[in-house]
Amino acid sequence: MPRSEDVLVEQYAPLVRRQALQLVSRLPPSVELDDLMQAGMMGLLDAVRRYQVVAEAQFETYAVTRIRGAMLDELRSQDWLPRSVRTKARQIEVAVSTLRQELLREPTESEIAQALSMSIDDYYELLDEAVGVQVIHYEDLKRHADPSADALEFLEDNSREQAYFDNPLNLLTSQGLRQALITAIDQLPEREKLLFALQFEQDLNQKEIALVLGVTEGRVSQLRSQAVARIRASLAKDKWDAISDSAEFQVLL
């Protein structure tokens, strides 16, 4: 690397960290700060090598664009599921959550379709397209009381109890999450509960489940997607991470 490039990279390296902190504060905890910074440094190096002095464009402005672009490219490369699929799954979850509040019960498929302003056939197609959203990184279970908290405060919080409850694996194994999942599954419509029982308790495959339910295999996939959307909506709404109390913390320390 020429000396001039070396000097510029060293001078603007703090800019990479600032951009990474701003971005990671709005992302799931499964995203590593170091990964973003590494991608950002590559973006900075690219900016140094491509920049041409123009009166209307300062180098820092140009560098920020290249740095953020490199970080976003890194995020896209890590995401195995297309954004369009996540968006469609989120539409279903929001509709379910809204209808629950209005109806004070689990909404039917036709009610969800109506809330999404689509026909029942279009809703079934949406369920087919959202089928991939059936897993979640355990790191994503980590939630914060104040999602707008400054990223530096989040990184520097080192209290023992806060550190314990901020550990996503502890939340994953906590009684709070277990009870929240039990409640969410218990609230499912009977056919969707039966589907889960056949799959996870009886260990039936999709074809066997379809025969038991008297539906097609494609319909089994739709029902599973819908059930997962209901559960995710429940976990997003409930304060299950607050159910774990200090007693559990004390026992496990």
Side-chain angles (χ1 to χ4, degrees):
M1 183 188 299
R3 179 61 183 169
S4 58
E5 292 183 2
D6 193 12
V7 171
L8 278 174
V9 169
E10 183 176 357
Q11 178 182 350
Y12 287 97
L15 184 62
V16 173
R17 181 173 178 80
R18 288 201 301 271
Q19 293 298 315
L21 286 172
Q22 290 176 11
L23 195 56
V24 81
S25 66
R26 303 195 302 272
L27 293 169
S30 55
V31 178
E32 295 287 344
L33 177 64
D34 288 347
D35 290 343
L36 288 181
M37 289 185 61
Q38 183 176 6
M41 289 300 295
M42 297 302 296
L44 174 59
L45 180 58
D46 185 57
V48 168
R49 292 178 173 173
R50 289 174 178 267
Y51 179 68
Q52 296 180 349
V53 179
V54 180
E56 295 80 13
Q58 296 182 349
F59 174 75
E60 182 171 338
T61 303
Y62 177 73
V64 167
T65 301
R66 303 298 299 187
I67 290 168
R68 288 183 64 85
M71 290 178 181
L72 293 174
D73 287 343
E74 172 65 17
L75 290 173
R76 293 187 189 102
S77 71
Q78 292 180 11
D79 194 359
W80 59 273
L81 199 62
R83 178 179 297 182
S84 61
V85 175
R86 294 191 186 280
T87 300
K88 289 167 182 174
R90 180 61 180 158
Q91 285 179 312
I92 299 172
E93 292 170 31
V94 170
V96 168
S97 182
T98 301
L99 287 170
R100 278 176 177 167
Q101 294 179 19
E102 294 177 356
L103 303 173
L104 301 179
R105 59 170 171 79
E106 283 294 322
T108 64
E109 292 178 337
S110 59
E111 289 168 339
I112 298 172
Q114 185 176 2
L116 292 170
S117 301
M118 58 179 61
S119 68
I120 192 67
D121 288 337
D122 288 340
Y123 175 60
Y124 288 156
E125 184 176 344
L126 184 63
L127 287 172
D128 287 332
E129 293 170 348
V131 70
V133 187
Q134 294 189 12
V135 299
I136 183 169
H137 294 292
Y138 79 85
E139 293 95 335
D140 294 345
L141 294 170
K142 178 174 165 186
R143 307 197 303 187
H144 311 291
D146 182 6
S148 64
D150 185 84
L152 288 173
E153 294 178 2
F154 158 64
L155 292 172
E156 293 171 359
D157 185 355
N158 59 3
S159 70
R160 293 183 69 202
E161 186 165 356
Q162 184 63 40
Y164 171 80
F165 287 122
D166 274 350
N167 185 324
L169 184 56
N170 291 336
L171 288 179
L172 184 64
T173 59
S174 75
Q175 291 299 309
L177 176 57
R178 180 176 182 276
Q179 186 57 52
L181 281 172
I182 291 173
T183 301
I185 293 172
D186 189 55
Q187 292 174 344
L188 291 175
E190 287 302 320
R191 187 155 63 160
E192 292 171 26
K193 281 198 289 188
L194 176 58
L195 186 155
F196 277 166
L198 293 172
Q199 180 176 356
F200 297 110
E201 294 179 16
Q202 304 302 320
D203 199 26
L204 300 187
N205 60 37
Q206 186 154 310
K207 183 176 182 179
E208 292 169 331
I209 295 172
L211 289 173
V212 173
L213 296 181
V215 297
T216 64
E217 292 185 49
R219 182 67 180 132
V220 170
S221 180
Q222 291 172 353
L223 288 170
R224 186 186 298 112
S225 293
Q226 185 168 260
V228 169
R230 293 185 197 272
I231 292 172
R232 289 169 65 95
S234 294
L235 293 181
K237 175 181 68 68
D238 295 336
K239 300 294 184 181
W240 54 264
D241 48 350
I243 299 175
S244 298
D245 57 19
S246 296
E248 182 177 352
F249 167 69
Q250 293 294 338
V251 168
L252 294 174
L253 279 184

